[in-house]
Amino acid sequence: MNHISHETKQKIEKAIFEVEKKTSSELIAVVTEKSGEYLYISLLLTSLASLLIPFGLLFFAPDMEAKSIYEAQLLGFMLFMVLFNVPKVLFYLLPKSVFVKAAKFKAYETFRILGLQKTRNYQAVMIFVSLYEQYIEIIADSAISAKIDNALWQSMIDAFVEKVKNEAFEEGYLQAINEVGALLVHHFPIEKEDKNELSNGLIEV
């Protein structure tokens, strides 16, 4: 993910640092380039499309030789394989639910792997962004969820998704940090002897 500049990462880290000076909660920023591997889907689409080639050729050229049909099918397979491996082509061909399922799974898996459910006061919140899927999830640990309805995150997510679609990743992430941070500061103000348990930097997975 080299396209996320060092300057952007520094701004995100600073924004989280400023939020955590005023709240006992832990705010974690995570980004991934892609949540799923879709090669098997590309192969499936390529195979199905290639199987239709002989039917199309025989319909328009019923006297075509078997060897020519085979060669056309082989060429078609290779062309479809290239086409269906172009990220944007696959993204627009498949139902959105395919990408949502993959990204949601990775978001919750990342929350678990990073051990965000093990903080001292169970007040971790993760802002997860999957760039290819244009998917954003805000996951809050139990103490946060007990006070803040998860539905409140949705408007922030929707606004962030629009920023990602418009290639305004930095602006969207900083806005989300500030909005999530405002809720955390309101419900979970800083405690005495508060300790920063987790990284403030952008975590890339």
Side-chain angles (χ1 to χ4, degrees), residues 1 3 15 35 37 54 57 68 92 94 96 98 101 109 146 149 155 158-159 163 169 187 192 195 205:
M1 284 178 282
H3 59 285
S35 287
E37 292 300 328
L57 291 174
S68 298
Y92 288 112
L94 295 179
K96 188 178 179 181
V98 172
K101 183 178 180 181
E109 181 185 48
D149 192 326
S155 62
D158 293 341
K163 296 288 186 185
F169 172 83
H187 290 283
K192 289 182 178 180
K195 292 182 180 179
V205 296

Side-chain angles (χ1 to χ4, degrees), residues 3-4 8 12 129 131 134 136 159-176:
H3 59 285
I4 300 177
T8 295
I12 288 172
V129 181
L131 295 173
Q134 296 180 354
I136 292 157
F160 196 174
V161 168
E162 286 304 309
K163 296 288 186 185
V164 171
K165 287 180 179 178
N166 294 320
E167 299 184 357
F169 172 83
E170 179 185 302
E171 181 183 348
Y173 223 130
L174 293 176
Q175 180 179 319

Side-chain angles (χ1 to χ4, degrees), residues 65-76:
E65 294 182 356
K67 180 182 177 183
S68 298
I69 292 174
Y70 170 76
E71 290 172 347
Q73 189 175 28
L74 184 61
L75 178 61

Side-chain angles (χ1 to χ4, degrees), residues 106-188:
K106 184 156 188 176
Y108 281 88
E109 181 185 48
T110 300
F111 191 91
R112 179 186 59 80
I113 290 173
L114 293 177
L116 305 185
Q117 75 281 14
K118 298 177 181 178
T119 59
R120 177 179 56 83
N121 51 14
Y122 304 105
Q123 291 179 17
V125 178
M126 179 182 72
I127 303 175
F128 175 89
V129 181
S130 189
L131 295 173
Y132 174 69
E133 288 83 0
Q134 296 180 354
Y135 179 86
I136 292 157
E137 183 86 35
I138 298 176
I139 303 177
D141 204 357
S142 56
I144 304 288
S145 297
K147 281 195 174 183
I148 302 176
D149 192 326
N150 288 333
L152 289 176
W153 307 127
Q154 193 57 50
S155 62
M156 302 175 195
I157 291 171
D158 293 341
F160 196 174
V161 168
E162 286 304 309
K163 296 288 186 185
V164 171
K165 287 180 179 178
N166 294 320
E167 299 184 357
F169 172 83
E170 179 185 302
E171 181 183 348
Y173 223 130
L174 293 176
Q175 180 179 319
I177 288 169
N178 290 331
E179 291 179 354
V180 171
L183 280 175
L184 295 178
V185 171
H186 175 72
H187 290 283
F188 303 94

Side-chain angles (χ1 to χ4, degrees), residues 46-55 57 66-80:
T46 297
S47 300
L48 290 174
S50 299
L51 286 172
L52 295 175
I53 290 175
F55 295 99
L57 291 174
K67 180 182 177 183
S68 298
I69 292 174
Y70 170 76
E71 290 172 347
Q73 189 175 28
L74 184 61
L75 178 61
F77 182 90
M78 291 186 290
L79 291 174
F80 281 125

